[in-house]
Amino acid sequence: MTTRSSPVKISLLTGVTLIAFAANSLLTRMALGAGVIDAASFVTIRLASGAAVLLAITTLMQQKSPMDIEKRCLTKDAWTAALMLFLYAIAFSFSYLQLAAGTGALILFGTVQVTMILVALKQGEKPSVAEWIGLVLALLGLIYLVSPGLEAPPAVGSVLMVIAGGAWGVYSLLGRGSTQPVVNTMNNFVRAVPFAIGASLVSISQLQLSREGVLLAVLSGAIASGVGYALWYAALRGLSATRAATVQLSVPVLAAVGGVFFLQEALSVRLVLASVMILGGVGLAVMGKQQG
């Protein structure tokens, strides 16, 4: 009996991971929308708890001391990746002071994919017709979603989530080709914590802590981020690059559904139409790249 690349195992890992990714939006909105914790403290606790869990996982995997792991993980982009991780986390959190869970996840996901496609274009990749159509459709969907109107999400929150998506896209590109993704992710989380602490000190006047808020931040960092990322890397062993990109199309949908059931958020016509445009465009671009 073998469990290596078992379809059932890969499907289970993938499903749990996608739920964890969507849960980050729900947990963050649940905490910040209710005002049970301030955004900077949420980020600090999220990154610190994620770093602790990833450090424990990598120590068990490598059977080495944290110092030995740290020495082997250093890369020339280590601090840049940590800064991008922090920028994503801080913009992500502050945006959820205003945005609904599903709307935020959609803007984030669309921006991440568009950022990575645009960087690929800048680096000289020649997209197919399908990729061009998909990119334009996704961009139009994002523009439509955040354009002024009665159903438009708050402008400041939308801009912050676009910044978060751009930072996460750059962070993802910096991690391409990593031979030890879980270990490198742990290293990035550890290095991002000082930035988060600095942000908390700057906004100390806004400090707001509660047992519920701290618990939600820990769940976001330790479970949805730390364990979630580790499971995702395990799932990637059995997924093609195209399938991995495609299955992530479900994350904004899961976040939106979760927002309706757990946070009593409404699904607007604008959100539904923008979802079709953004997710359809990204899906078309992904499939076009595979065929090319």
Side-chain angles (χ1 to χ4, degrees):
M1 177 179 177
T2 178
T3 59
R4 184 174 180 270
S5 298
S6 164
V8 174
K9 179 180 178 181
I10 295 302
S11 297
L12 181 60
L13 287 172
T14 302
V16 172
T17 301
L18 296 177
I19 292 173
F21 288 169
N24 259 327
S25 291
L26 296 174
L27 292 168
T28 305
R29 177 58 182 170
M30 194 178 299
L32 300 177
V36 294
I37 188 173
D38 65 285
S41 294
F42 186 92
V43 172
T44 300
I45 296 172
R46 178 188 175 187
L47 291 176
S49 58
V53 168
L54 287 166
L55 185 59
I57 291 174
T58 52
T59 300
L60 291 173
M61 289 172 53
Q62 304 284 322
Q63 293 185 336
K64 294 179 180 292
S65 71
M67 289 301 296
D68 288 336
I69 295 174
E70 171 74 10
K71 291 176 181 177
R72 295 177 57 216
C73 294
L74 294 179
T75 67
K76 65 178 182 180
D77 294 321
W79 281 107
T80 302
L83 181 59
M84 288 298 103
L85 176 61
F86 162 72
L87 182 58
Y88 147 75
I90 197 75
F92 180 86
S93 293
F94 274 92
S95 70
Y96 269 127
L97 289 172
Q98 298 182 331
L99 298 181
T103 302
L106 182 61
I107 296 174
L108 175 73
F109 177 84
T111 305
V112 169
Q113 298 300 321
V114 168
T115 298
M116 296 181 74
I117 292 172
L118 290 176
V119 170
L121 292 176
K122 185 177 179 180
Q123 293 177 342
E125 288 192 18
K126 296 181 179 179
S128 65
V129 174
E131 287 180 274
W132 274 117
I133 295 175
L135 175 59
V136 171
L137 184 59
L139 283 171
L140 290 175
L142 277 174
I143 293 171
Y144 169 63
L145 177 63
V146 301
S147 61
L150 292 177
E151 294 184 330
V156 173
S158 298
V159 170
L160 286 171
M161 192 60 85
V162 169
I163 293 173
W168 186 259
V170 174
Y171 174 78
S172 299
L173 290 169
L174 289 173
R176 287 193 306 183
S178 171
T179 57
Q180 300 185 82
V182 178
V183 179
N184 289 136
T185 301
M186 176 276 296
N187 185 55
N188 295 332
F189 264 73
V190 170
R191 287 171 174 264
V193 171
F195 294 116
I197 293 175
S200 290
L201 292 175
V202 169
S203 58
I204 192 69
S205 62
Q206 305 298 318
L207 181 66
Q208 173 66 37
L209 293 175
S210 69
R211 183 180 302 175
E212 180 184 358
V214 171
L215 175 60
L216 291 170
V218 170
L219 289 174
S220 175
I223 307 301
S225 297
V227 174
Y229 294 166
L231 292 178
W232 178 240
Y233 291 132
L236 286 176
R237 298 171 185 171
L239 297 174
S240 65
T242 301
R243 183 169 296 178
T246 303
V247 296
Q248 291 182 76
L249 293 170
S250 64
V251 173
V253 178
L254 290 172
V257 172
V260 171
F261 281 98
F262 297 109
L263 304 176
Q264 288 75 54
E265 295 177 348
L267 278 177
S268 67
V269 174
R270 182 192 289 249
L271 178 60
V272 172
L273 292 178
S275 297
V276 173
M277 294 173 68
I278 295 172
L279 302 184
V282 171
L284 185 62
V286 169
M287 297 308 297
K289 183 174 182 179
Q290 173 70 6
Q291 294 174 359

